[in-house]
Amino acid sequence: MAKGSSISGFPEWLPSERVVEQRVIDTLRNVFELNGFIGIETRAVEQGSSLLKKGETSKEIYLLSRLQDVGNEADTPVEDRLGLHFDLTVPLSRYVVEHSGALAFPFKRWQIQKVWRGERPQEGRFREFVQADIDVIGNGDLPDHYEVELPLVMVSALERLREFGLPKATVHANNRKLSEGFYRGLGLEDIEGVLREIDKLDKIGPDEVTKLLVSECGATEAQARACLELADLNAADGAELEEKFNALCDAHGIAHESEAYDLAMQGLRTLAMIVDEAARIRPGAVIADLKIARGLDYYTGSVYETFLDGASSLGSICSGGRYDNLASQGNKKYPGVGLSIGLSRLVSYMLHTAGAEASRVSPSAVLVAVWDEQDRATSNHIAQALRDRGISADVAPTAAKLGKQIKYASKLGIPYVWFPSEANEDTEHEGDEVKNIITGEQQPADVRSWEPDTVYAQQTVSVNA
Amino acid sequence: MAKGSSISGFPEWLPSERVVEQRVIDTLRNVFELNGFIGIETRAVEQGSSLLKKGETSKEIYLLSRLQDVGNEADTPVEDRLGLHFDLTVPLSRYVVEHSGALAFPFKRWQIQKVWRGERPQEGRFREFVQADIDVIGNGDLPDHYEVELPLVMVSALERLREFGLPKATVHANNRKLSEGFYRGLGLEDIEGVLREIDKLDKIGPDEVTKLLVSECGATEAQARACLELADLNAADGAELEEKFNALCDAHGIAHESEAYDLAMQGLRTLAMIVDEAARIRPGAVIADLKIARGLDYYTGSVYETFLDGASSLGSICSGGRYDNLASQGNKKYPGVGLSIGLSRLVSYMLHTAGAEASRVSPSAVLVAVWDEQDRATSNHIAQALRDRGISADVAPTAAKLGKQIKYASKLGIPYVWFPSEANEDTEHEGDEVKNIITGEQQPADVRSWEPDTVYAQQTVSVNA
């Protein structure tokens, strides 16, 4: 992030860093579109009523007011004010309901946009950042095969980012119904509360979570221990998952004929399908992890978090789940499943931990030198001829001493400096020469046919080893 | 714009419309990068103090407040609150000052981002829209050749958009110093005021402007008429411009030895250079138009507006100018020149007037059919093989009747439906067939070598004739 950024939590990249972010965005878009996702953009604002309704961040909203209304803000109830969206899922749900007549369902969409969280400024927390989301929304129903396909699309997208220094990513999947069924089977009632405490396991550890389950969710010590045992359960495949889960139910007296058990089984079967199917397609990419809870209250089935090898301090970099009740209109429901990459944090990791670097700041491959301001037209002419052939070219800002012009190219990382022949612009520039200022090699060049070496042709991003 | 968009002034595109916007953005970015401009993104918010300082829209700002602070907003002075940026020039100036140590000057940047105007809701006005800007910022000084190069880059960018239905664009240039020198020569003092009234010429006509110059700016009838004569002046080239301007000065008794005349001449020479140089490179692209005033108060020299042939009701679609005093730090000045395209209005014109259309809603070239849910893996396998070869592919959402699957493809505009052979997924799909559902042609196809016809390979945008 650019140093001295004057507003905490609003990161801003320097030009060379922005190249990395832009490349990441282009790569994700490419993967999403190869997989048939349709790109949309939603407005940055939603009605307060819509923002307040859903999601973990309902307390972290930026509300807007017109300069003219300063001092009278309180006259308008928060529900009727506009606020900046805090994620891309709530806006998508609203978009789908609003435009349902114009969409083909299931509606597969990608969306890469900024979101805002009206948090108190604090170290390391972004209040503005970019999210990259994919979701599928059904009209009435939504087949569960999307619950394995979407995390796999994200895995293949994250795989593509490894060339920019991202470690291997693994999606950890769970299912809300499985957890809820088990908790209910134990006799617990505050399901939201239990999920919220379990979500803290990685942060505060099992002892603290046990205490909170007892003090905040009315659990007995035994119930709390059972919740932790479930969170601890792991399995190599769907069959082992079912076996171990049944053993746990038996150990805690949860009857197989109960409604609670049925609910848990619904979730378990989806989870088993996900891990088995994913293992077949991309072994090791998606695993069952029964402590994944997700803070957001709108998930109703599968939930996902994604962790990077050796970067667990980053937390989940790509999360999501299935939400059956987020979007509805009258009797109509639009169930969805989706995942969201926290892009800004990911780019920050690539830049500052993994050492991702742009090959150059400027998109230009060539800087055309200017001998004299009178000859600027000649240099412009050459640059335009290169651009017409798809080669990005810039022209020296002033007819300064050659060393200064080369220094300008060097500062921008532009690999080639073009020297126009001293003839006038109407000749065919037959005396032109081009110098690679990185290798020092200088050669005669014809603007109609010259090509940069492949390695210097494009701005690229790689990892500084 | 999507119908029924529930918040007036916040446009939102349907997926097929978004394809057009995305293509326009990609095209502009390509032109800007070919010309050596560096892409940046600034945060969406600025300090109130920074937003209030500059620009015509200082009254049209959205301020932010955290949900927790609702009711206490008035405790914080507006200057200390955060607000959404209303353009990309004020943020650029702040960015350049903040990061000057890390930038190479002159700093050429492109930036395509949303901006917000905290206006009262009114028909046809956007409160959120996308701007596409290029600017060059110097450190200390900035050569004036950029004042002709930047409008020409915009012209070549707008030229590229003609394939999406945009009419020919012409940049109208003027110079603040020319106008100011002339007005001062006449004895007028409220220069800002005169510029503001002259800016209304196209909207309210010369009679109304004359009245306003008299009533609001303290002009006599004769002075007002002289201002209108200047606004009316046109010339084929720089020499004619100077000749006609001198005649006008003589007619109104402005002495050639005056300070006012010197100021006007500074502006005139830059303007003459711009039109002569532009005429040489791209005849007819940039003309002198002495009624161009620009409302924004930060311009100090060249000003530009751009109009489309046969679409004058749109007003200027690309405006800008030179600003010498927008960015500074202590004694250091960072003069700049730039232009900004109002992208959302342009896309709206392309969609609704010019008839620009996406060839299809989905990026996919192929929908792989599913015979039976048991065989979904086979279809997934085929789709993945196509994607690995760069062909965007989707898989039917359900193993519905074939007609329904084809209808889904058709609704998304996907041109090809792939029929897996009924063999199992481990065979090489030798019995596969692919049907072009637009032409009706069906042929055997091998997933390892099949290519879509060029015309159907990519999502494209063209004008519906």
Side-chain angles (χ1 to χ4, degrees):
Chain A
M1 183 179 348
K3 269 177 206 155
S5 181
S6 60
I7 308 182
S8 147
F10 290 83
E12 215 164 48
W13 306 118
L14 289 172
S16 61
E17 298 172 325
R18 170 65 181 164
V19 175
V20 175
E21 181 179 61
Q22 183 73 68
R23 198 57 49 100
V24 168
I25 290 172
D26 290 345
T27 302
L28 293 178
R29 173 181 165 193
N30 176 251
V31 173
F32 299 159
E33 295 199 334
L34 273 176
N35 282 276
F37 287 81
I38 292 166
I40 68 164
E41 201 162 272
T42 56
R43 59 183 190 234
V45 305
E46 299 291 333
Q47 293 286 3
S49 53
S50 166
L51 294 170
L52 287 170
K53 215 165 44 184
K54 307 273 167 52
E56 66 185 325
T57 51
S58 56
K59 299 280 160 53
E60 297 168 347
I61 297 170
Y62 276 122
L63 295 168
L64 302 188
S65 47
R66 296 176 58 227
L67 180 59
Q68 281 76 351
D69 297 332
V70 162
N72 304 321
E73 284 110 329
D75 297 353
T76 309
V78 170
E79 287 73 12
D80 295 339
R81 289 177 63 178
L82 299 177
L84 295 173
H85 57 216
F86 54 78
D87 74 0
L88 302 177
T89 314
V90 171
L92 172 66
S93 303
R94 192 261 316 147
Y95 182 95
V96 163
V97 169
E98 201 166 296
H99 309 305
S100 58
L103 305 176
F105 290 97
F107 177 56
K108 297 173 65 173
R109 85 86 177 80
W110 68 267
Q111 189 171 354
I112 302 181
Q113 261 181 272
K114 280 186 177 165
V115 303
W116 293 269
R117 305 270 163 102
E119 301 192 5
R120 199 181 295 278
Q122 47 182 319
E123 194 61 45
R125 298 284 288 182
F126 288 161
R127 297 192 279 168
E128 169 178 288
F129 56 97
V130 178
Q131 283 195 337
D133 284 29
I134 52 172
D135 289 80
V136 182
I137 309 265
N139 184 351
D141 51 21
L142 183 72
D144 63 4
H145 60 81
Y146 290 115
E147 290 172 64
V148 59
E149 283 161 19
L150 264 70
L152 285 176
V153 171
M154 279 305 199
V155 166
S156 67
L158 294 166
E159 195 65 27
R160 285 276 300 278
L161 300 183
R162 293 186 70 177
E163 68 170 304
F164 311 135
L166 206 70
K168 183 179 181 301
T170 308
V171 176
H172 294 227
N174 191 8
N175 193 292
R176 279 274 170 95
K177 288 178 185 166
L178 193 167
S179 309
E180 179 174 349
F182 185 78
Y183 301 154
R184 289 204 187 279
L186 291 176
L188 291 165
E189 277 171 13
D190 180 9
I191 307 302
E192 289 288 329
V194 175
L195 286 169
R196 196 165 47 238
E197 305 310 339
I198 291 292
D199 197 36
K200 299 176 183 163
L201 257 176
D202 279 344
K203 268 190 202 144
I204 61 175
D207 292 347
E208 287 303 312
V209 169
T210 305
K211 278 184 207 160
L212 287 168
L213 287 171
V214 172
S215 65
E216 303 297 316
C217 311
T220 64
E221 285 281 345
Q223 287 170 327
R225 258 198 318 277
C227 292
L228 290 181
E229 280 176 50
L230 180 71
D232 224 32
L233 193 156
N234 61 61
D237 56 39
E240 189 183 339
L241 178 68
E242 183 161 352
E243 196 179 308
K244 285 189 173 176
F245 181 76
N246 279 332
L248 203 61
C249 286
D250 294 345
H252 293 282
I254 299 174
H256 289 210
E257 295 73 33
S258 62
E259 255 180 59
Y261 181 82
D262 281 350
L263 181 66
M265 274 296 128
Q266 273 182 42
L268 188 140
R269 277 182 199 125
T270 302
L271 182 58
M273 180 277 290
I274 290 173
V275 295
D276 287 348
E277 187 67 11
R280 225 181 41 77
I281 297 170
R282 202 185 268 268
V286 182
I287 62 168
D289 181 347
L290 278 70
K291 71 174 175 301
I292 300 299
R294 302 291 304 134
L296 275 136
D297 57 16
Y298 54 63
Y299 293 120
T300 52
S302 294
V303 284
Y304 315 100
E305 296 196 343
T306 308
F307 301 94
L308 298 176
D309 280 7
S312 58
S313 65
L314 264 186
S316 173
I317 54 112
C318 173
S319 310
R322 175 161 181 144
Y323 43 93
D324 281 347
N325 308 318
L326 189 55
S328 61
Q329 195 175 33
N331 285 333
K332 253 190 178 168
K333 279 197 176 180
Y334 299 94
V337 56
L339 292 98
S340 174
I341 295 177
L343 196 96
S344 301
R345 263 189 329 143
L346 218 56
V347 170
S348 181
Y349 176 89
M350 290 178 199
L351 289 169
H352 303 129
T353 306
E357 274 192 345
S359 61
R360 57 185 189 241
V361 175
S362 169
S364 290
V366 180
L367 180 80
V368 184
V370 176
W371 296 122
D372 188 294
E373 280 305 325
Q374 303 300 321
D375 297 331
R376 176 167 295 281
T378 308
S379 300
N380 281 337
H381 196 71
I382 293 167
Q384 194 52 49
L386 292 170
R387 290 172 196 142
D388 288 345
R389 294 177 47 233
I391 299 166
S392 175
D394 207 344
V395 176
T398 62
K401 281 185 187 155
L402 197 55
K404 209 175 161 190
Q405 297 189 37
I406 291 176
K407 201 172 157 193
Y408 179 72
S410 172
K411 205 166 173 190
L412 289 169
I414 300 175
Y416 293 98
V417 176
W418 190 286
F419 306 120
S421 71
E422 306 263 358
N424 75 59
E425 64 170 303
D426 296 327
T427 69
E428 292 291 353
H429 309 295
E430 280 169 14
D432 290 8
E433 298 206 345
V434 66
K435 177 175 185 159
N436 183 321
I437 62 171
I438 297 161
T439 64
E441 194 184 7
Q442 182 166 340
Q443 288 188 318
D446 186 320
V447 79
R448 294 162 301 185
S449 57
W450 176 83
E451 291 282 345
D453 287 344
T454 314
V455 64
Y456 299 112
Q458 301 295 331
Q459 210 178 22
T460 56
V461 170
S462 62
V463 177
N464 186 9
Chain B
M1 181 179 349
K3 271 176 206 156
S5 182
S6 59
I7 307 182
S8 147
F10 290 84
E12 217 165 45
W13 307 117
L14 289 172
S16 61
E17 299 172 323
R18 170 65 181 164
V19 175
V20 175
E21 181 178 60
Q22 182 75 66
R23 198 57 49 99
V24 168
I25 290 172
D26 291 346
T27 302
L28 294 178
R29 173 181 164 194
N30 176 251
V31 174
F32 298 159
E33 296 199 332
L34 273 176
N35 281 276
F37 287 81
I38 292 166
I40 68 163
E41 201 163 273
T42 55
R43 59 184 190 233
V45 305
E46 298 290 335
Q47 293 286 0
S49 54
S50 167
L51 295 171
L52 287 170
K53 215 165 42 183
K54 307 272 168 54
E56 67 184 326
T57 49
S58 56
K59 300 282 160 52
E60 298 169 347
I61 297 169
Y62 275 122
L63 296 167
L64 302 188
S65 45
R66 296 177 59 227
L67 180 59
Q68 281 77 352
D69 296 333
V70 163
N72 304 322
E73 283 110 330
D75 297 355
T76 310
V78 169
E79 287 74 12
D80 295 339
R81 290 176 63 177
L82 299 177
L84 295 174
H85 57 216
F86 55 78
D87 73 0
L88 302 178
T89 314
V90 171
L92 172 65
S93 303
R94 192 262 314 147
Y95 180 95
V96 163
V97 170
E98 201 166 296
H99 310 305
S100 58
L103 305 176
F105 291 96
F107 178 55
K108 298 173 65 173
R109 84 88 176 78
W110 67 266
Q111 190 171 353
I112 301 180
Q113 261 181 270
K114 280 186 177 165
V115 304
W116 294 267
R117 305 269 163 102
E119 301 192 5
R120 200 179 295 279
Q122 47 182 320
E123 193 61 43
R125 299 282 288 181
F126 289 162
R127 296 192 281 168
E128 169 178 286
F129 55 98
V130 178
Q131 282 195 337
D133 285 29
I134 52 172
D135 289 81
V136 181
I137 309 266
N139 185 349
D141 52 20
L142 183 71
D144 62 3
H145 61 79
Y146 290 116
E147 289 172 65
V148 59
E149 283 161 20
L150 265 71
L152 285 175
V153 171
M154 278 306 198
V155 166
S156 67
L158 293 166
E159 195 65 29
R160 286 274 302 277
L161 299 183
R162 293 187 68 176
E163 69 169 304
F164 310 135
L166 206 69
K168 183 177 179 303
T170 308
V171 177
H172 294 226
N174 192 7
N175 193 292
R176 279 276 171 94
K177 289 177 183 165
L178 194 167
S179 309
E180 179 174 348
F182 185 79
Y183 301 153
R184 290 203 186 280
L186 291 176
L188 292 165
E189 280 172 10
D190 180 8
I191 308 301
E192 289 286 331
V194 175
L195 287 169
R196 196 166 46 239
E197 304 310 339
I198 291 292
D199 197 36
K200 298 175 183 163
L201 257 176
D202 280 344
K203 267 190 202 145
I204 60 175
D207 293 346
E208 288 302 312
V209 169
T210 306
K211 279 184 208 161
L212 289 168
L213 287 171
V214 172
S215 67
E216 304 297 316
C217 310
T220 64
E221 285 280 345
Q223 286 171 327
R225 258 198 318 276
C227 292
L228 290 181
E229 280 175 51
L230 180 72
D232 224 31
L233 193 156
N234 60 62
D237 55 38
E240 188 183 339
L241 177 67
E242 185 161 350
E243 197 179 306
K244 286 190 172 176
F245 181 76
N246 279 333
L248 203 62
C249 286
D250 295 345
H252 293 282
I254 299 173
H256 288 211
E257 295 73 33
S258 62
E259 256 182 57
Y261 180 82
D262 281 352
L263 182 65
M265 273 297 128
Q266 273 183 45
L268 188 140
R269 281 189 194 118
T270 303
L271 181 58
M273 180 276 289
I274 290 173
V275 294
D276 287 348
E277 187 68 11
R280 226 181 42 76
I281 296 170
R282 201 184 270 266
V286 182
I287 62 169
D289 181 347
L290 278 70
K291 71 174 176 298
I292 301 299
R294 301 292 305 135
L296 275 136
D297 57 15
Y298 53 62
Y299 293 120
T300 53
S302 294
V303 284
Y304 316 99
E305 296 197 342
T306 309
F307 301 93
L308 298 176
D309 280 6
S312 58
S313 65
L314 264 186
S316 173
I317 54 111
C318 173
S319 310
R322 174 161 181 145
Y323 42 93
D324 280 348
N325 308 317
L326 189 55
S328 61
Q329 195 175 34
N331 286 333
K332 253 192 181 168
K333 279 199 177 177
Y334 299 94
V337 56
L339 292 98
S340 173
I341 295 177
L343 196 97
S344 301
R345 262 189 331 144
L346 218 56
V347 170
S348 181
Y349 176 89
M350 290 179 199
L351 289 169
H352 303 130
T353 306
E357 275 192 345
S359 61
R360 58 186 190 240
V361 175
S362 170
S364 291
V366 180
L367 180 80
V368 184
V370 176
W371 296 123
D372 189 295
E373 282 303 326
Q374 302 302 319
D375 297 332
R376 176 166 294 280
T378 308
S379 300
N380 282 336
H381 195 70
I382 292 168
Q384 195 52 48
L386 292 170
R387 289 171 198 143
D388 288 345
R389 293 177 48 233
I391 299 167
S392 174
D394 206 345
V395 176
T398 62
K401 281 185 186 153
L402 197 54
K404 209 174 161 192
Q405 298 189 38
I406 291 176
K407 201 172 157 195
Y408 179 73
S410 172
K411 204 164 175 193
L412 289 170
I414 300 175
Y416 293 98
V417 177
W418 190 286
F419 306 120
S421 71
E422 306 263 358
N424 74 60
E425 63 170 305
D426 296 326
T427 69
E428 293 290 352
H429 309 294
E430 281 168 15
D432 289 8
E433 299 207 344
V434 66
K435 178 174 185 159
N436 181 321
I437 61 171
I438 296 161
T439 65
E441 195 184 8
Q442 182 165 339
Q443 289 188 316
D446 187 320
V447 78
R448 293 162 301 184
S449 57
W450 176 84
E451 291 283 346
D453 287 343
T454 314
V455 65
Y456 299 112
Q458 301 296 330
Q459 210 178 22
T460 57
V461 170
S462 61
V463 177
N464 186 9

